[in-house]
Amino acid sequence: MARSARPQAVATNNTAGGSSAAAAGLGDRYKWVVLSNMLLAGLIVSIDSTIVLIGMPAIFRGVHVNPLAAGNTKYMLWMIMGFLIVTAVLVVSLGRLGDIYGRVRVYNLGFAVFTVFSILLSVSWLHGGAGANWLIVMRIGQGLGGAMLLGNSSAITTDAFPPGQRGTALGIMNIGFVAGSTVGLVLGGVLAPISWRLIFLVSVPVGLFGTIWSYVSLRDIGERRAAHIDWWGNLTFALGLIAVMIGITTGIQPYGSHTMSWTSPKVIGEIGGGVLLLAAFAVIESHVAEPMFHLRLFRIRAFTAGNIANLLTSLARGGLQFILIIWLQGIWLPEHGYNFVDTPLWSGIHMLPLVGGLLLAGPISGVLSDRFGARPFATAGPLLAAVAFFLLARLPVDFPYPAFAALLALNGIGMGLFISPNRAAVMSSLPPWRRGVGAGMTNTFQNSAQVLSIGIFFSLMIIGLAAHLPATLYHGFVAHGVPRAAAAHISHLPAVTTLFATFLGYNPVAHLLGPVLATLPPAQAAILTGHGFFPRLITQPFSAALSAAFTFAVITCLLAAAASLLRGGKHDWTDRELADAPPGAALDGLAGPPLPSPAGAG
């Protein structure tokens, strides 16, 4: 008898009821064990994605590298973005491997890999450029472990919970991931003054506990199917996405006499080559039998609209932390008496209302979306975030903190309303045997958008500063005794240097003046390096740059709300749009009763 050309299903549970029935067979307690484990993974991965932001000065002092010296800014950018880039590139492939070999198996390995590279980061013995490169490579390895965790956690949670509780479960899980990004800022500020190694070592006990706990407690109950790895798809996707993201990372650095490198042949070649490789990837995926990126999933309106909305909100919020950090560390905190060296820690503390809004709205929106559907909350969330961005742009640069905190909380509430229902709707729209790859695709859009967002926000800030900052710096320095030749030279340094100095918690004026500072009268030097001079000097140029960045965020949030509104009503995979079920797979009962409309209307 002829063998079917379609790969056969290898399902851990292929009876009616599938993964939901298997989870029920493990008892009601099992789903909460799964959720708590996924929450821990999301928390530790997101903490490590931002903890280096605040600890960067201590880290580079530890390896004897000046990140602001000529040619060294690449180290800082790759320490920030390397982790995000590798998770964006690999998360789909690792979710696909979870579909084939078992999601829990790949997830468990992810905890172990993450822990090993956290140890290697904390024991570096190298210095200078070699030390910086070691840390970057180990951060990429840590990102590999993070991608294994993120690529499978949503699918594992979806398998463990019945449809009526998935919004709640994914909401709680995603709160850990989003909240951890701000917790990492505070934790980095606390640990960095003690030892830079603690910034990486803090993840080790959590990783060891998570590795053992996940191995002992989790079970593979999702659909699995034997399949071939799409090597050409993986290769073109990885190389294309890496090339685009390297181009974005390079684009915000100076080039010749230009403030940024977007017009340099190198950046144009990187981005152009990456786009061509991604176009080749799309062609490959439409012709191979077992593609890495299942383009047919985009036929599901809930999946497509949810991912578009997720991409747009990630663009809006990805660079937000950087803008807020620069705002707080460069202007507001020094003007209110904080030393520049202390501003990284206090900027994290002052941004806690953002986490508070997320923690408040996330679980509530998850519970309510299980009852009323995702569309009302996933639409209202970006609208609230857009209002918050609009009002933030209209605050004075030296704002009253209660108003600033209230707008951060409003932004957090808006994002919290969106994230949980949107992720639950996207995952519930997928058949069980596509949840791993679908979750990976969603995480790829999110992580890629965050890297792109950093490039966009920094570019908008640099463009805004470059228009006004040189003249402001020149006249401010000359008025306080700096020789005109030195003031002219300093004022024409790339604006990104000033931004990075502020971001790292250095005194920007002391960094810009360098040896010139020692030639000035002590009274003038004290004024120039004091708490008030630089914030007052940069307020006007920064205000214009801030307005451009927040305007971009408002536009992307409004577009995200429109995408969410067009997602349709409740949509479930049992509408059978895909028609790609492997033979023998459990089609009925896996994700609840079929809905009446095959078009996905509620």
Side-chain angles (χ1 to χ4, degrees):
M1 186 171 65
R3 178 174 294 181
S4 170
R6 181 181 292 170
Q8 298 293 311
V10 182
T12 56
N13 274 282
N14 57 8
T15 58
S19 57
S20 296
L26 291 168
D28 189 65
R29 177 177 173 272
Y30 176 73
K31 62 187 179 185
W32 301 112
V33 171
V34 169
L35 180 58
S36 54
N37 196 287
M38 302 301 123
L39 182 63
L40 179 67
L43 189 65
I44 194 62
V45 170
S46 61
I47 284 175
D48 268 67
S49 69
T50 58
I51 195 170
V52 298
L53 301 182
I54 301 302
M56 202 84 73
I59 292 169
F60 282 118
R61 281 196 299 270
V63 296
H64 307 305
V65 170
N66 177 7
L68 298 177
N72 284 353
T73 54
K74 62 180 182 291
Y75 296 135
M76 186 184 72
L77 287 172
W78 275 101
M79 279 292 292
I80 295 170
M81 293 188 175
F83 187 94
L84 294 174
I85 289 174
V86 74
T87 53
V89 168
L90 295 178
V91 73
V92 173
S93 298
L94 295 168
R96 173 83 170 131
L97 288 176
D99 285 341
I100 298 171
Y101 299 109
R103 293 158 192 159
V104 168
R105 181 179 297 177
V106 177
Y107 175 88
N108 291 346
L109 181 60
F111 249 133
V113 170
F114 189 87
T115 305
V116 167
F117 280 101
S118 297
I119 295 171
L120 292 174
L121 277 162
S122 66
V123 298
S124 173
W125 65 95
L126 299 171
H127 297 100
N133 285 326
W134 168 272
L135 294 178
I136 290 168
V137 172
M138 294 305 107
R139 278 285 285 175
I140 290 172
Q142 197 182 44
L144 170 64
M148 290 179 173
L149 295 171
L150 298 181
N152 292 278
S153 57
S154 294
I156 293 171
T157 304
T158 304
D159 288 338
F161 279 81
Q165 296 178 350
R166 284 176 188 156
T168 304
L170 290 168
I172 295 172
M173 187 190 79
N174 284 316
I175 281 171
F177 182 78
V178 177
S181 61
T182 303
V183 173
L185 298 176
V186 178
L187 196 58
V190 171
L191 296 177
I194 303 173
S195 171
W196 69 269
R197 298 180 189 274
L198 289 177
I199 293 170
F200 305 114
L201 199 60
V202 70
S203 304
V204 174
V206 179
L208 288 172
F209 175 75
T211 302
I212 297 169
W213 186 28
S214 63
Y215 180 79
V216 170
S217 62
L218 301 185
R219 301 290 179 267
D220 257 317
I221 60 174
E223 291 274 348
R224 275 192 280 165
R225 59 183 303 190
H228 298 291
I229 300 296
D230 174 19
W231 294 112
W232 282 111
N234 276 271
L235 183 63
T236 52
F237 177 76
L239 292 177
L241 195 57
I242 288 172
V244 169
M245 292 187 175
I246 288 176
I248 293 169
T249 304
T250 309
I252 61 178
Q253 300 180 60
Y255 165 63
S257 60
H258 302 281
T259 56
M260 290 181 289
S261 301
W262 294 114
T263 57
S264 74
K266 182 175 184 291
V267 170
I268 293 172
E270 288 166 346
I271 295 178
V275 170
L276 289 175
L277 283 169
L278 292 175
F281 165 74
V283 173
I284 291 170
E285 296 305 278
S286 64
H287 288 85
V288 298
E290 288 292 333
M292 166 192 165
F293 237 73
H294 278 270
L295 301 180
R296 293 182 66 178
L297 294 179
F298 291 111
R299 297 181 183 179
I300 304 174
R301 185 167 64 168
F303 180 81
T304 302
N307 275 298
I308 291 173
N310 182 44
L311 176 77
L312 291 166
T313 55
S314 297
L315 278 175
R317 75 172 186 268
L320 173 64
Q321 284 185 328
F322 293 89
I323 299 301
L324 296 178
I325 288 172
I326 291 169
W327 193 354
L328 287 167
Q329 292 181 192
I331 299 178
W332 196 87
L333 288 170
E335 281 196 330
H336 289 78
Y338 293 86
N339 292 323
F340 282 101
V341 71
D342 297 326
T343 56
L345 170 61
W346 286 101
S347 67
I349 293 172
H350 280 76
M351 287 196 296
L352 286 177
L354 183 67
V355 180
L358 286 163
L359 292 175
L360 175 66
I364 295 173
S365 66
V367 172
L368 293 177
S369 68
D370 285 334
R371 182 174 179 182
F372 299 107
R375 181 162 60 175
F377 306 98
T379 303
L383 289 175
L384 277 181
V387 170
F389 281 124
F390 178 81
L391 295 176
L392 279 168
R394 275 141 190 83
L395 277 182
V397 175
D398 185 15
F399 51 79
Y401 181 72
F404 180 77
L407 293 179
L408 287 189
L410 181 63
N411 189 283
I413 290 170
M415 292 300 179
L417 284 176
F418 168 80
I419 292 170
S420 306
N422 187 70
R423 180 58 67 97
V426 167
M427 294 304 298
S428 292
S429 73
L430 297 171
W433 53 89
R434 297 296 185 213
R435 284 176 186 159
V437 69
M441 291 164 70
T442 299
N443 281 319
T444 293
F445 289 131
Q446 179 173 307
N447 293 343
S448 301
Q450 287 179 333
V451 176
L452 180 59
S453 176
I454 293 169
I456 290 172
F457 273 75
F458 264 118
S459 296
L460 291 172
M461 294 292 294
I462 292 167
I463 290 170
L465 288 174
H468 306 283
L469 188 61
T472 304
L473 286 176
Y474 175 79
H475 293 297
F477 284 152
V478 169
H480 287 81
V482 176
R484 291 181 180 274
H489 171 72
I490 293 167
S491 66
H492 286 90
L493 290 175
V496 69
T497 303
T498 305
L499 283 181
F500 284 167
T502 304
F503 180 73
L504 291 171
Y506 295 159
N507 188 315
V509 173
H511 169 73
L512 289 171
L513 290 176
V516 176
L517 196 62
T519 66
L520 300 177
Q524 292 291 353
I527 293 173
L528 289 170
T529 57
H531 294 165
F533 176 76
F534 181 77
R536 287 193 296 270
L537 195 67
I538 200 176
T539 291
Q540 187 57 41
F542 185 81
S543 179
L546 203 62
S547 178
F550 283 140
T551 299
F552 170 79
V554 169
I555 293 170
T556 54
C557 283
L558 292 176
L559 292 174
S564 289
L565 188 63
L566 296 174
R567 74 175 61 232
K570 288 187 178 181
H571 182 101
D572 193 89
W573 71 273
T574 50
D575 290 337
R576 312 283 179 85
E577 290 179 59
L578 263 97
D580 72 339
L587 293 178
D588 296 317
L590 277 166
L595 296 172
S597 169

